[in-house]
Amino acid sequence: MGTITANTMVTVNGVTEAPETWQFAYFSPEMAGVMLGQLSRSSGVVLGRRTYEDFAGYWPHVSAAENPMAAPINELPKYVVSNTLRTTEWMPSQVVAGDVTAQLRTLRDEADGDLSIIGSPTLVRSLLDERLIDRLSLMVFPLVVESGRGLFDGVTTRAGLDLVHADTLPNGVLHLAYEPAA
């Protein structure tokens, strides 16, 4: 049985929206190592529709020589959660629609490793409400942004979390991992 791990970038004030406007200034080899480590433990990637569309427009055109994350992210199966998307072109991928919770539970139960959610904050929020996140892996960036949707905006259930990993990267970014409290 695998796990569902949400891998999310967030500012100190909790904003996840538009990371392309604030995260690149902090990118480092250590961050790349954390991200590659997450992908190496993954048997598949779970993406919301918007993240999938952004990634599908970029990653298939990037070689491993240009970015070491290209090979795993292009090769891993991708599960795209959407009730509006019908087909996918970036392979291997498939649409997960309808009873998403049941389908993701089945995928998790059949997985050999992590099902890694990358970005996709709307999806993460909904799965937190369903208590379907087994591990919440946060890259907390040392900045406050003036506006943007927060990771936990609209979460409707209260859930205790246990800190299972904490590391400070040289650029000041915190890598924190939480699991549901026992």
Side-chain angles (χ1 to χ4, degrees), residues 16-99:
T16 58
E17 188 174 359
E20 69 279 3
T21 65
W22 45 262
Q23 63 99 2
F24 289 114
Y26 293 91
F27 199 79
S28 68
E30 294 82 8
M31 281 182 65
V34 169
M35 294 171 163
L36 282 169
Q38 291 167 336
L39 286 172
S40 73
R41 293 184 296 277
S42 298
S43 59
V45 175
V46 180
L47 303 166
R49 180 192 52 83
R50 280 178 264 168
T51 303
Y52 168 80
E53 289 174 344
D54 289 345
F55 281 20
Y58 176 76
W59 286 109
H61 313 289
V62 178
S63 71
E66 295 170 290
N67 187 322
M69 286 181 52
I73 206 159
N74 282 317
E75 294 167 8
L76 283 168
K78 288 159 277 296
Y79 304 99
V80 186
V81 176
S82 175
N83 286 317
T84 58
L85 192 64
R86 298 292 171 237
T87 62
T88 57
E89 294 181 19
W90 182 27
M91 293 296 152
S93 61
Q94 70 182 55
V95 175
V96 176
D99 188 349

Side-chain angles (χ1 to χ4, degrees), residues 104-127:
L104 288 178
R105 276 195 178 101
T106 299
L107 287 168
R108 177 186 64 187
D109 293 347
E110 295 171 355
D112 292 333
D114 284 353
L115 289 177
S116 292
I117 302 170
I118 301 175
S120 307
T122 301
L123 174 61
V124 170
R125 282 188 287 277
S126 69
L127 296 180

